[in-house]
Amino acid sequence: MTQKNEIHFRKAETSDINPIWEIIQQSIERRRKDGSQQWQNGYPNLQTVESDVEKGFGHVLTVDGEVAVFVALIFNDEPAYSSIEGAWLTTGEFVVVHRVAVSEKFAGQGLAKKLFDYIEDFTKSQNVLSVKVDTNYDNLAMLKILESKGYTYCGEVYLAGGIRKAFEKVLM
């Protein structure tokens, strides 16, 4: 008998691009329906997804082999983070969390929260002890997740899409 709801976290592969793009389109639409301004200007797009996968930034959470959540994890590289209105908790190496998107099929099952556990384990496995993330001031779901996972609000950063709330968690 096969076990149900087997969850795996892994690097995204080329064959994952289409399902990831579907999930991102669902997330864009969900943001729009929620009245959020985030992701409403043509970003992220298919090229973003292809680039994330090609560069090895793209990661997925699968449930019983099906892609359920996408995230881009980038080490030490977010130019916008060098000038924060506020202050980061640390100045060393870090992982940036970008483009978190959950499939409609798996929405509301706590997978985004679980994702952050996997991100933190993955980050520690790379001997890095800081996770940095930014989100739109009106992305209430993500703000709640960050609060519940113990992320500290550090200030505001300016990305192409405008002002974002920036958070950091120092891992032990």
Side-chain angles (χ1 to χ4, degrees):
M1 200 166 133
T2 57
Q3 187 189 347
K4 280 283 178 220
N5 298 328
E6 201 171 291
I7 298 173
H8 289 287
F9 178 73
R10 63 170 172 78
K11 254 194 168 87
E13 298 157 8
T14 309
S15 60
D16 297 321
I17 290 174
N18 286 338
I20 291 167
W21 176 231
E22 281 297 307
I23 290 169
I24 288 198
Q25 287 176 297
Q26 292 169 2
S27 294
I28 290 168
E29 181 57 18
R30 197 160 46 234
R31 292 268 134 60
R32 189 188 65 74
K33 282 182 179 158
D34 289 346
S36 174
Q37 295 303 302
Q38 195 169 5
W39 291 8
Q40 300 305 306
N41 61 357
Y43 162 90
N45 53 39
L46 183 56
Q47 287 72 31
T48 313
V49 173
E50 291 169 342
S51 171
D52 282 342
V53 173
E54 195 178 286
K55 292 176 176 168
F57 298 157
H59 290 75
V60 293
L61 210 57
T62 61
V63 177
D64 297 329
E66 188 178 343
V67 176
V69 185
F70 174 75
V71 64
L73 299 177
I74 304 165
F75 283 87
N76 304 315
D77 187 24
E78 177 45 80
Y81 285 9
S82 59
S83 57
I84 182 172
E85 235 170 72
W88 294 110
L89 303 175
T90 65
T91 55
E93 291 193 291
F94 60 93
V95 163
V96 180
V97 177
H98 277 320
R99 296 180 278 291
V100 174
V102 180
S103 164
E104 264 324 303
K105 180 177 172 182
F106 296 98
Q109 296 179 22
L111 287 177
K113 268 190 189 170
K114 266 198 183 77
L115 173 71
F116 275 88
D117 296 335
Y118 285 100
I119 290 169
E120 291 170 20
D121 289 345
F122 172 73
T123 301
K124 286 193 274 194
S125 79
Q126 306 298 305
N127 296 313
V128 174
L129 294 178
S130 164
V131 178
K132 294 180 180 179
V133 59
D134 66 84
T135 192
N136 225 42
Y137 60 90
D138 62 7
N139 188 339
L140 302 180
M142 183 56 74
L143 291 168
K144 265 193 200 134
I145 289 167
L146 294 172
E147 184 184 351
S148 77
K149 298 310 278 177
Y151 283 73
T152 301
Y153 174 69
C154 295
E156 292 179 339
V157 292
Y158 296 86
L159 280 90
I163 299 172
R164 298 275 189 270
K165 287 184 153 203
F167 295 84
E168 182 177 8
K169 183 172 182 178
V170 180
L171 307 175
M172 297 301 164

